[in-house]
Amino acid sequence: MSPPVFRFAPSPNGFLHLGHAYSALLNFDLARKSGGRFLLRIEDIDPIRCRPEYEDSIYEDLEWLGIVWEQPVRRQSEHLEIYRDALDRLSHEGLIYSSFESRAQSKKLVDAKDKAGVWPRDPDNGPLYPGEAKSIAAGERSAKIRSGAPYVLRLDMAAACARARNLMWIEQGAGPDGETGDVAAKPEQWGDVILARKETPTSYHLSVVIDDALQGVTQIVRGLDLFWATSVHRLLQELLGLPQPVYRHHSLVRDEDGKKLSKSTMARSAFVG
Ligand code: GLU
């Protein structure tokens, strides 16, 4: 039997904090104790927020923790063609559509919907896509794209869910409400998620499932904040015919106020004073 394969997959868009250190060490220890492999993957698809100095500090910090990973390290920015191909496959199956609203326009639409009743939020508390772009006529759509308008590519969630056969995943940790064992994915909670942007032919959801499959990852151990994102990942695995890893979501390291650490709120770096 082949050994289990674990991975730690940080985005170099800030310095690692204690939560990342915990997750990396947990994966590394589980791999060692089970005679498994441990991979490091750099999730650097966002050219604006990801910076080389953050990537360098990831390597330094993990070395400082005594973690050893296999070479070469996979860097997502070097594999955009692979993600584009997957996107094309979904598109040929009629599961992708372009939408053109700016952030400000989307906010206005959500505000209007909220006035008419509470507009649904996703598990991260973001509003579901409020627009009607799915029904734009083909001619108008290609004219907009030809005119150079910015756009994002969304998954037609209703069509995608109708196509998927098995949306269960095996959870070896526990979800926010203690969900464990066989968990039913609920991708519809996320609405028509963005899978790519005009300038970037991928997204976190798309590249994470493709890379986990390409790298033969069998055990995904990550923070509880990504528990319900697994729903979208299971759906994409089904649509793209990818194998099903086992998941384990661990609790988050919190600050003195009980808030989860985050790079964006300048949480104390794991390795500074
Ligand atoms: N790159 C993601 C992050 O830094 C983690 C992805 C994952 O573990 O699935 O939050």
Side-chain angles (χ1 to χ4, degrees):
M1 233 178 73
S2 7
V5 182
F6 293 79
R7 51 63 160 184
F8 177 57
S11 302
N13 55 12
F15 294 110
L16 297 188
H17 53 59
L18 287 171
H20 295 108
Y22 173 67
S23 201
L25 279 170
L26 183 61
N27 273 283
F28 182 59
D29 277 355
L30 287 166
R32 246 193 343 199
K33 285 184 186 138
S34 58
R37 296 169 54 201
F38 174 78
L39 311 178
L40 172 64
R41 182 168 73 228
I42 300 293
E43 302 211 322
D44 59 347
I45 53 169
D46 181 341
I48 305 197
R49 295 174 62 221
C50 294
R51 298 216 218 124
E53 58 269 35
Y54 293 141
E55 184 174 333
D56 290 345
S57 80
I58 289 174
Y59 300 133
E60 259 173 51
D61 293 344
L62 295 181
E63 269 171 24
W64 185 86
L65 285 168
I67 291 178
V68 181
W69 57 91
E70 290 184 14
Q71 297 291 346
V73 168
R74 186 175 175 87
R75 299 175 71 244
Q76 292 188 324
S77 58
E78 293 167 357
H79 301 280
L80 296 183
E81 282 314 310
I82 293 178
Y83 312 132
R84 199 189 305 271
D85 286 351
L87 205 59
D88 285 349
R89 275 176 57 198
L90 296 174
S91 184
H92 285 135
E93 290 184 33
L95 298 176
I96 300 282
Y97 68 90
S98 39
S99 75
F100 302 89
E101 296 89 354
S102 64
R103 271 175 212 274
Q105 285 166 330
S106 292
K107 182 172 178 325
K108 245 182 166 171
L109 286 173
V110 172
D111 288 348
K113 301 256 185 204
D114 270 338
K115 280 207 181 103
V118 180
W119 183 247
R121 266 35 185 194
D122 66 29
D124 284 347
N125 210 26
L128 301 200
Y129 171 59
E132 309 285 337
K134 194 155 83 173
S135 50
I136 296 178
E140 192 189 334
R141 188 182 297 284
S142 15
K144 270 181 192 269
I145 292 178
R146 272 200 312 274
S147 77
Y151 62 86
V152 296
L153 296 175
R154 295 181 178 276
L155 182 67
D156 180 340
M157 186 55 82
C161 287
R163 203 70 64 83
R165 281 163 306 145
N166 167 16
L167 285 179
M168 302 296 286
W169 87 78
I170 298 173
E171 175 64 44
Q172 294 182 327
D177 291 318
E179 299 90 342
T180 191
D182 288 335
V183 175
K186 299 176 191 165
E188 66 287 350
Q189 289 181 315
W190 294 93
D192 290 356
V193 283
I194 295 177
L195 288 191
R197 295 176 186 275
K198 185 181 175 188
E199 339 55 54
T200 313
T202 191
S203 57
Y204 160 61
H205 293 311
L206 187 63
S207 33
V208 83
V209 294
I210 291 176
D211 283 354
D212 284 333
L214 279 176
Q215 295 190 285
V217 174
T218 57
Q219 320 286 320
I220 296 184
V221 179
R222 61 185 178 190
L224 200 45
D225 50 341
L226 289 171
F227 186 83
W228 285 117
T230 307
S231 288
V232 178
H233 302 171
R234 272 300 298 131
L235 176 60
L236 291 174
Q237 285 158 1
E238 275 293 289
L239 298 174
L240 295 167
L242 305 175
Q244 230 195 106
V246 167
Y247 289 86
R248 172 159 166 176
H249 292 89
H250 59 73
S251 48
L252 302 173
V253 179
R254 298 190 177 274
D255 66 15
E256 306 82 52
D257 302 325
K259 287 208 214 71
K260 80 171 195 191
L261 304 184
S262 87
K263 291 174 185 152
S264 54
T265 53
M266 300 295 284
R268 188 170 29 182
S269 162
F271 310 95
V272 179

